[in-house]
Amino acid sequence: MKKTEKPEKPVILTCAQPSGVLTLGNYLGALRNWATLLDTAECFFGIVDMHSITAKNVPAELRKNSISCLAQYIACGMDPERCHLFMQSHVIGHTELAWVLGCQTPIGDLQRMTQFKEKAAKLGFSVTEGEDNGMRFSHDGARAQASVNSGLLFYPVLMAADILLYNADQVPVGDDQRQHLELCRDLARRFNHNYSDTFTVPEPLIPKQAARIRSLQAPEKKMSKSDDDPLATLYLLDPPKLIRKKIMSAVTDSDGEIRFGTDKPGISNLLQILAATGGESIETLVHSFEGKGYAELKSATADSVVALLEPVQKRYEELMADKGYLESVLKVGAEAAQQRAYRTLSKVYRKVGFYPRAR
Ligand code: TYM
């Protein structure tokens, strides 16, 4: 779409994977901020079920998690009257555009992606850069559990297609998506350069606060939906008792001092969670906890998280009791998304030289 054809409001697009219940990291680093953008932008919020099958998945679980993810979006403030909520697999165009973009993406750019390397490492593979700048993909025979599927490598191209299909101006994400966004921007620029101005080059919107909430058990890692450690992640739908248990058993350190710093990842993470959920700044919290113990900090953090999530959980239960309503939201969302997607896709097909279909 040409700049002049753009709707007046900026277009915002962002998504989450329905690969499990959303986490407190998803909420604080992403969803809570999305909900503040509804009136100033035209917002598209996708549930990217196609991304979820890059990891091993159980079909019935994916179906359940997908509709649950929609209910969580709405419960977190994504009012369907003021934004477009859609399932990625309901819209033709995401994979089609990904193919076109993939044909312009050097494979080395994908092998260099940090998240790809991390996910491959989990399966027992490692990616290293050779002296000739070529990538070496090797596996540690004993640890390798399965092969790394090519969808995992192609993942960032599909993500770029999700964004460029809607000509998004801004993409609100947490810090872990920074590199994927950079690739998306490169692909938009490359296509515009090769074929003429087509895509808006999107800007990432990364929050200053809570852009990377960390695991409660290994605070050097981000809090993640798929952590194997049952105490590492706070899920949006965890009952209050479980939230308290997880926070009270969070890993800290032995020096007993409550302050923020890279040498204190566990305490800093708790301070970050308390600041983001309770509304006080980290400096104020450090001051008010002077001379107090870690148990007090943990207990205050647990109270704050429980209080914040209580209304979200209540609304979620109401929504899940009305599947008909949720499905009607998806129908309307898919129609709006599809309209936009077709417009971009037909333009892209024309530019790359595909012969037009007779009308
Ligand atoms: P996903 O599903 O892992 O996460 C959804 C959003 O939550 C943010 N996030 C976090 N923020 C702070 N702390 C954390 N511990 C934390 N964990 C996750 C993520 O940054 C994200 O904003 N690849 C994406 C999904 C995607 C997408 C897109 C995003 C597919 N297509 C197009 C934006 C635009 C992902 O796996 O997000």
Side-chain angles (χ1 to χ4, degrees), residues 128-165:
T128 46
E129 203 149 344
E131 278 166 22
D132 55 356
N133 285 337
M135 304 304 284
R136 302 275 179 275
F137 196 64
S138 53
H139 71 91
D140 164 356
R143 281 200 320 124
Q145 297 167 8
S147 63
V148 173
N149 70 64
S150 45
L152 205 56
L153 182 68
F154 203 65
Y155 180 111
V157 181
L158 181 57
M159 176 164 163
D162 299 336
I163 298 166
L164 301 181
L165 198 57

mmCIF file of all heavy atoms in Angstrom, residues 128-165:
data_model
loop_
_atom_site.group_PDB
_atom_site.id
_atom_site.type_symbol
_atom_site.label_atom_id
_atom_site.label_comp_id
_atom_site.label_asym_id
_atom_site.label_seq_id
_atom_site.Cartn_x
_atom_site.Cartn_y
_atom_site.Cartn_z
ATOM 1 N N THR A 128 27.524 -22.976 14.502
ATOM 2 C CA THR A 128 28.713 -22.130 14.682
ATOM 3 C C THR A 128 29.085 -21.509 13.348
ATOM 4 O O THR A 128 28.757 -22.052 12.287
ATOM 5 C CB THR A 128 29.905 -22.961 15.189
ATOM 6 O OG1 THR A 128 29.981 -24.148 14.399
ATOM 7 C CG2 THR A 128 29.755 -23.324 16.652
ATOM 8 N N GLU A 129 29.805 -20.395 13.443
ATOM 9 C CA GLU A 129 30.222 -19.724 12.221
ATOM 10 C C GLU A 129 31.618 -20.222 11.849
ATOM 11 O O GLU A 129 32.525 -20.187 12.685
ATOM 12 C CB GLU A 129 30.232 -18.210 12.441
ATOM 13 C CG GLU A 129 30.096 -17.463 11.151
ATOM 14 C CD GLU A 129 29.351 -16.127 11.357
ATOM 15 O OE1 GLU A 129 28.710 -15.950 12.410
ATOM 16 O OE2 GLU A 129 29.432 -15.295 10.464
ATOM 17 N N GLY A 130 31.778 -20.737 10.615
ATOM 18 C CA GLY A 130 33.086 -21.228 10.184
ATOM 19 C C GLY A 130 33.998 -20.070 9.809
ATOM 20 O O GLY A 130 33.560 -18.919 9.730
ATOM 21 N N GLU A 131 35.308 -20.385 9.582
ATOM 22 C CA GLU A 131 36.269 -19.326 9.242
ATOM 23 C C GLU A 131 35.921 -18.647 7.923
ATOM 24 O O GLU A 131 36.235 -17.494 7.701
ATOM 25 C CB GLU A 131 37.674 -19.927 9.159
ATOM 26 C CG GLU A 131 38.300 -20.057 10.539
ATOM 27 C CD GLU A 131 39.513 -20.946 10.540
ATOM 28 O OE1 GLU A 131 40.106 -21.128 9.459
ATOM 29 O OE2 GLU A 131 39.848 -21.455 11.627
ATOM 30 N N ASP A 132 35.233 -19.395 7.036
ATOM 31 C CA ASP A 132 34.851 -18.816 5.744
ATOM 32 C C ASP A 132 33.519 -18.074 5.832
ATOM 33 O O ASP A 132 32.893 -17.792 4.822
ATOM 34 C CB ASP A 132 34.710 -19.955 4.716
ATOM 35 C CG ASP A 132 33.729 -21.030 5.204
ATOM 36 O OD1 ASP A 132 33.228 -20.924 6.338
ATOM 37 O OD2 ASP A 132 33.454 -21.972 4.432
ATOM 38 N N ASN A 133 33.072 -17.772 7.078
ATOM 39 C CA ASN A 133 31.792 -17.109 7.339
ATOM 40 C C ASN A 133 30.579 -17.984 7.037
ATOM 41 O O ASN A 133 29.459 -17.549 7.178
ATOM 42 C CB ASN A 133 31.642 -15.787 6.558
ATOM 43 C CG ASN A 133 32.475 -14.709 7.193
ATOM 44 O OD1 ASN A 133 32.799 -14.803 8.383
ATOM 45 N ND2 ASN A 133 32.851 -13.718 6.408
ATOM 46 N N GLY A 134 30.823 -19.217 6.592
ATOM 47 C CA GLY A 134 29.700 -20.130 6.375
ATOM 48 C C GLY A 134 29.255 -20.698 7.719
ATOM 49 O O GLY A 134 30.022 -20.702 8.682
ATOM 50 N N MET A 135 27.990 -21.145 7.796
ATOM 51 C CA MET A 135 27.496 -21.663 9.066
ATOM 52 C C MET A 135 27.722 -23.171 9.125
ATOM 53 O O MET A 135 27.588 -23.868 8.127
ATOM 54 C CB MET A 135 26.002 -21.354 9.209
ATOM 55 C CG MET A 135 25.638 -19.894 9.083
ATOM 56 S SD MET A 135 26.508 -18.822 10.229
ATOM 57 C CE MET A 135 25.631 -19.155 11.750
ATOM 58 N N ARG A 136 28.115 -23.636 10.292
ATOM 59 C CA ARG A 136 28.291 -25.081 10.509
ATOM 60 C C ARG A 136 27.190 -25.557 11.453
ATOM 61 O O ARG A 136 27.017 -24.991 12.529
ATOM 62 C CB ARG A 136 29.643 -25.355 11.191
ATOM 63 C CG ARG A 136 30.821 -24.842 10.426
ATOM 64 C CD ARG A 136 31.276 -25.865 9.376
ATOM 65 N NE ARG A 136 32.405 -25.336 8.642
ATOM 66 C CZ ARG A 136 32.303 -24.541 7.575
ATOM 67 N NH1 ARG A 136 31.116 -24.175 7.127
ATOM 68 N NH2 ARG A 136 33.378 -24.099 6.956
ATOM 69 N N PHE A 137 26.501 -26.578 11.020
ATOM 70 C CA PHE A 137 25.386 -27.093 11.800
ATOM 71 C C PHE A 137 25.775 -28.499 12.234
ATOM 72 O O PHE A 137 25.983 -29.363 11.398
ATOM 73 C CB PHE A 137 24.170 -27.116 10.874
ATOM 74 C CG PHE A 137 22.883 -27.248 11.591
ATOM 75 C CD1 PHE A 137 22.454 -26.252 12.444
ATOM 76 C CD2 PHE A 137 22.093 -28.369 11.435
ATOM 77 C CE1 PHE A 137 21.256 -26.360 13.116
ATOM 78 C CE2 PHE A 137 20.903 -28.490 12.103
ATOM 79 C CZ PHE A 137 20.481 -27.482 12.951
ATOM 80 N N SER A 138 25.954 -28.703 13.521
ATOM 81 C CA SER A 138 26.416 -30.028 13.936
ATOM 82 C C SER A 138 25.598 -30.513 15.114
ATOM 83 O O SER A 138 24.982 -29.723 15.828
ATOM 84 C CB SER A 138 27.887 -29.952 14.326
ATOM 85 O OG SER A 138 28.053 -28.926 15.270
ATOM 86 N N HIS A 139 25.604 -31.806 15.335
ATOM 87 C CA HIS A 139 24.886 -32.286 16.511
ATOM 88 C C HIS A 139 25.758 -33.191 17.353
ATOM 89 O O HIS A 139 26.628 -33.897 16.873
ATOM 90 C CB HIS A 139 23.571 -32.957 16.126
ATOM 91 C CG HIS A 139 23.734 -34.283 15.461
ATOM 92 N ND1 HIS A 139 23.768 -35.458 16.144
ATOM 93 C CD2 HIS A 139 23.875 -34.590 14.155
ATOM 94 C CE1 HIS A 139 23.913 -36.449 15.304
ATOM 95 N NE2 HIS A 139 23.979 -35.954 14.094
ATOM 96 N N ASP A 140 25.464 -33.071 18.629
ATOM 97 C CA ASP A 140 26.166 -33.869 19.597
ATOM 98 C C ASP A 140 25.372 -35.175 19.680
ATOM 99 O O ASP A 140 24.315 -35.231 20.298
ATOM 100 C CB ASP A 140 26.156 -33.076 20.920
ATOM 101 C CG ASP A 140 26.511 -33.925 22.110
ATOM 102 O OD1 ASP A 140 26.695 -35.134 21.929
ATOM 103 O OD2 ASP A 140 26.595 -33.373 23.208
ATOM 104 N N GLY A 141 25.887 -36.205 18.976
ATOM 105 C CA GLY A 141 25.192 -37.474 18.799
ATOM 106 C C GLY A 141 24.426 -37.964 20.021
ATOM 107 O O GLY A 141 23.258 -38.285 19.934
ATOM 108 N N ALA A 142 25.092 -37.931 21.158
ATOM 109 C CA ALA A 142 24.465 -38.498 22.347
ATOM 110 C C ALA A 142 23.261 -37.681 22.791
ATOM 111 O O ALA A 142 22.257 -38.209 23.241
ATOM 112 C CB ALA A 142 25.487 -38.563 23.470
ATOM 113 N N ARG A 143 23.360 -36.343 22.645
ATOM 114 C CA ARG A 143 22.297 -35.481 23.162
ATOM 115 C C ARG A 143 21.188 -35.216 22.153
ATOM 116 O O ARG A 143 20.076 -34.867 22.526
ATOM 117 C CB ARG A 143 22.901 -34.141 23.617
ATOM 118 C CG ARG A 143 23.575 -34.235 24.977
ATOM 119 C CD ARG A 143 23.730 -32.863 25.622
ATOM 120 N NE ARG A 143 24.111 -31.832 24.670
ATOM 121 C CZ ARG A 143 23.428 -30.722 24.471
ATOM 122 N NH1 ARG A 143 22.335 -30.493 25.137
ATOM 123 N NH2 ARG A 143 23.848 -29.822 23.606
ATOM 124 N N ALA A 144 21.527 -35.341 20.868
ATOM 125 C CA ALA A 144 20.536 -34.977 19.850
ATOM 126 C C ALA A 144 19.289 -35.835 19.992
ATOM 127 O O ALA A 144 19.359 -37.055 19.988
ATOM 128 C CB ALA A 144 21.142 -35.150 18.467
ATOM 129 N N GLN A 145 18.116 -35.154 20.151
ATOM 130 C CA GLN A 145 16.886 -35.907 20.400
ATOM 131 C C GLN A 145 16.118 -36.146 19.116
ATOM 132 O O GLN A 145 15.446 -37.126 18.940
ATOM 133 C CB GLN A 145 15.983 -35.115 21.347
ATOM 134 C CG GLN A 145 16.602 -34.913 22.688
ATOM 135 C CD GLN A 145 15.818 -33.872 23.465
ATOM 136 O OE1 GLN A 145 14.764 -33.429 23.052
ATOM 137 N NE2 GLN A 145 16.352 -33.469 24.595
ATOM 138 N N ALA A 146 16.167 -35.205 18.231
ATOM 139 C CA ALA A 146 15.400 -35.299 16.994
ATOM 140 C C ALA A 146 16.064 -34.351 16.019
ATOM 141 O O ALA A 146 16.970 -33.634 16.393
ATOM 142 C CB ALA A 146 13.971 -34.835 17.266
ATOM 143 N N SER A 147 15.606 -34.350 14.774
ATOM 144 C CA SER A 147 16.212 -33.378 13.871
ATOM 145 C C SER A 147 15.538 -32.030 14.097
ATOM 146 O O SER A 147 14.438 -31.951 14.634
ATOM 147 C CB SER A 147 16.036 -33.840 12.433
ATOM 148 O OG SER A 147 14.676 -33.896 12.142
ATOM 149 N N VAL A 148 16.233 -30.980 13.691
ATOM 150 C CA VAL A 148 15.662 -29.639 13.807
ATOM 151 C C VAL A 148 14.845 -29.423 12.544
ATOM 152 O O VAL A 148 15.375 -29.498 11.441
ATOM 153 C CB VAL A 148 16.796 -28.592 13.915
ATOM 154 C CG1 VAL A 148 16.235 -27.193 13.875
ATOM 155 C CG2 VAL A 148 17.598 -28.825 15.183
ATOM 156 N N ASN A 149 13.545 -29.174 12.697
ATOM 157 C CA ASN A 149 12.724 -29.029 11.484
ATOM 158 C C ASN A 149 12.978 -27.685 10.813
ATOM 159 O O ASN A 149 13.368 -26.709 11.470
ATOM 160 C CB ASN A 149 11.242 -29.276 11.788
ATOM 161 C CG ASN A 149 10.630 -28.169 12.617
ATOM 162 O OD1 ASN A 149 10.538 -27.020 12.168
ATOM 163 N ND2 ASN A 149 10.206 -28.481 13.829
ATOM 164 N N SER A 150 12.758 -27.649 9.498
ATOM 165 C CA SER A 150 13.103 -26.423 8.778
ATOM 166 C C SER A 150 12.134 -25.288 9.120
ATOM 167 O O SER A 150 12.453 -24.119 8.921
ATOM 168 C CB SER A 150 13.166 -26.665 7.273
ATOM 169 O OG SER A 150 12.066 -27.414 6.870
ATOM 170 N N GLY A 151 10.960 -25.622 9.666
ATOM 171 C CA GLY A 151 10.039 -24.569 10.116
ATOM 172 C C GLY A 151 10.659 -23.718 11.215
ATOM 173 O O GLY A 151 10.435 -22.505 11.283
ATOM 174 N N LEU A 152 11.469 -24.351 12.045
ATOM 175 C CA LEU A 152 12.116 -23.626 13.137
ATOM 176 C C LEU A 152 13.094 -22.578 12.572
ATOM 177 O O LEU A 152 13.215 -21.478 13.086
ATOM 178 C CB LEU A 152 12.869 -24.635 14.010
ATOM 179 C CG LEU A 152 13.114 -24.271 15.457
ATOM 180 C CD1 LEU A 152 11.831 -23.943 16.182
ATOM 181 C CD2 LEU A 152 13.829 -25.427 16.163
ATOM 182 N N LEU A 153 13.768 -22.978 11.492
ATOM 183 C CA LEU A 153 14.709 -22.053 10.856
ATOM 184 C C LEU A 153 13.951 -20.930 10.139
ATOM 185 O O LEU A 153 14.347 -19.770 10.174
ATOM 186 C CB LEU A 153 15.565 -22.846 9.853
ATOM 187 C CG LEU A 153 16.641 -22.078 9.107
ATOM 188 C CD1 LEU A 153 17.745 -21.639 10.061
ATOM 189 C CD2 LEU A 153 17.247 -22.933 8.000
ATOM 190 N N PHE A 154 12.821 -21.299 9.523
ATOM 191 C CA PHE A 154 12.059 -20.360 8.697
ATOM 192 C C PHE A 154 11.159 -19.443 9.530
ATOM 193 O O PHE A 154 10.623 -18.450 9.038
ATOM 194 C CB PHE A 154 11.203 -21.179 7.714
ATOM 195 C CG PHE A 154 10.813 -20.422 6.476
ATOM 196 C CD1 PHE A 154 11.766 -20.006 5.564
ATOM 197 C CD2 PHE A 154 9.486 -20.123 6.222
ATOM 198 C CE1 PHE A 154 11.404 -19.300 4.432
ATOM 199 C CE2 PHE A 154 9.112 -19.414 5.087
ATOM 200 C CZ PHE A 154 10.076 -19.009 4.194
ATOM 201 N N TYR A 155 11.033 -19.779 10.796
ATOM 202 C CA TYR A 155 10.140 -19.081 11.729
ATOM 203 C C TYR A 155 10.190 -17.543 11.598
ATOM 204 O O TYR A 155 9.151 -16.880 11.475
ATOM 205 C CB TYR A 155 10.528 -19.556 13.141
ATOM 206 C CG TYR A 155 9.763 -18.986 14.291
ATOM 207 C CD1 TYR A 155 8.895 -19.791 15.034
ATOM 208 C CD2 TYR A 155 9.906 -17.657 14.677
ATOM 209 C CE1 TYR A 155 8.204 -19.275 16.117
ATOM 210 C CE2 TYR A 155 9.210 -17.143 15.753
ATOM 211 C CZ TYR A 155 8.363 -17.950 16.465
ATOM 212 O OH TYR A 155 7.671 -17.440 17.523
ATOM 213 N N PRO A 156 11.397 -16.926 11.617
ATOM 214 C CA PRO A 156 11.426 -15.447 11.560
ATOM 215 C C PRO A 156 10.905 -14.868 10.246
ATOM 216 O O PRO A 156 10.469 -13.723 10.216
ATOM 217 C CB PRO A 156 12.908 -15.103 11.739
ATOM 218 C CG PRO A 156 13.571 -16.343 12.211
ATOM 219 C CD PRO A 156 12.747 -17.502 11.755
ATOM 220 N N VAL A 157 10.953 -15.673 9.174
ATOM 221 C CA VAL A 157 10.429 -15.171 7.894
ATOM 222 C C VAL A 157 8.904 -15.136 7.963
ATOM 223 O O VAL A 157 8.259 -14.188 7.518
ATOM 224 C CB VAL A 157 10.902 -16.052 6.709
ATOM 225 C CG1 VAL A 157 10.363 -15.504 5.399
ATOM 226 C CG2 VAL A 157 12.414 -16.131 6.676
ATOM 227 N N LEU A 158 8.325 -16.181 8.569
ATOM 228 C CA LEU A 158 6.861 -16.186 8.752
ATOM 229 C C LEU A 158 6.463 -15.030 9.664
ATOM 230 O O LEU A 158 5.454 -14.358 9.428
ATOM 231 C CB LEU A 158 6.417 -17.540 9.351
ATOM 232 C CG LEU A 158 4.911 -17.726 9.586
ATOM 233 C CD1 LEU A 158 4.099 -17.530 8.309
ATOM 234 C CD2 LEU A 158 4.619 -19.107 10.179
ATOM 235 N N MET A 159 7.260 -14.770 10.655
ATOM 236 C CA MET A 159 6.956 -13.648 11.555
ATOM 237 C C MET A 159 7.028 -12.315 10.793
ATOM 238 O O MET A 159 6.176 -11.430 10.978
ATOM 239 C CB MET A 159 7.939 -13.666 12.737
ATOM 240 C CG MET A 159 7.768 -12.504 13.659
ATOM 241 S SD MET A 159 8.577 -12.779 15.243
ATOM 242 C CE MET A 159 8.616 -11.086 15.838
ATOM 243 N N ALA A 160 8.018 -12.182 9.909
ATOM 244 C CA ALA A 160 8.116 -10.955 9.106
ATOM 245 C C ALA A 160 6.881 -10.816 8.221
ATOM 246 O O ALA A 160 6.317 -9.722 8.069
ATOM 247 C CB ALA A 160 9.388 -10.993 8.259
ATOM 248 N N ALA A 161 6.427 -11.950 7.664
ATOM 249 C CA ALA A 161 5.225 -11.912 6.814
ATOM 250 C C ALA A 161 4.010 -11.479 7.630
ATOM 251 O O ALA A 161 3.190 -10.688 7.151
ATOM 252 C CB ALA A 161 4.996 -13.282 6.187
ATOM 253 N N ASP A 162 3.890 -11.969 8.874
ATOM 254 C CA ASP A 162 2.760 -11.565 9.734
ATOM 255 C C ASP A 162 2.685 -10.042 9.820
ATOM 256 O O ASP A 162 1.608 -9.451 9.812
ATOM 257 C CB ASP A 162 2.954 -12.066 11.183
ATOM 258 C CG ASP A 162 3.027 -13.580 11.295
ATOM 259 O OD1 ASP A 162 2.497 -14.261 10.420
ATOM 260 O OD2 ASP A 162 3.631 -14.052 12.290
ATOM 261 N N ILE A 163 3.844 -9.437 9.918
ATOM 262 C CA ILE A 163 3.904 -7.982 10.153
ATOM 263 C C ILE A 163 3.698 -7.212 8.843
ATOM 264 O O ILE A 163 2.894 -6.281 8.759
ATOM 265 C CB ILE A 163 5.275 -7.616 10.777
ATOM 266 C CG1 ILE A 163 5.430 -8.320 12.135
ATOM 267 C CG2 ILE A 163 5.447 -6.107 10.902
ATOM 268 C CD1 ILE A 163 6.844 -8.310 12.692
ATOM 269 N N LEU A 164 4.422 -7.639 7.802
ATOM 270 C CA LEU A 164 4.411 -6.867 6.553
ATOM 271 C C LEU A 164 3.090 -7.024 5.796
ATOM 272 O O LEU A 164 2.693 -6.132 5.046
ATOM 273 C CB LEU A 164 5.596 -7.285 5.673
ATOM 274 C CG LEU A 164 6.979 -7.081 6.325
ATOM 275 C CD1 LEU A 164 8.087 -7.496 5.366
ATOM 276 C CD2 LEU A 164 7.185 -5.637 6.790
ATOM 277 N N LEU A 165 2.401 -8.130 6.029
ATOM 278 C CA LEU A 165 1.105 -8.355 5.373
ATOM 279 C C LEU A 165 0.107 -7.256 5.723
ATOM 280 O O LEU A 165 -0.802 -6.958 4.958
ATOM 281 C CB LEU A 165 0.569 -9.721 5.835
ATOM 282 C CG LEU A 165 -0.529 -10.388 5.034
ATOM 283 C CD1 LEU A 165 -0.125 -10.580 3.577
ATOM 284 C CD2 LEU A 165 -0.887 -11.739 5.645
#
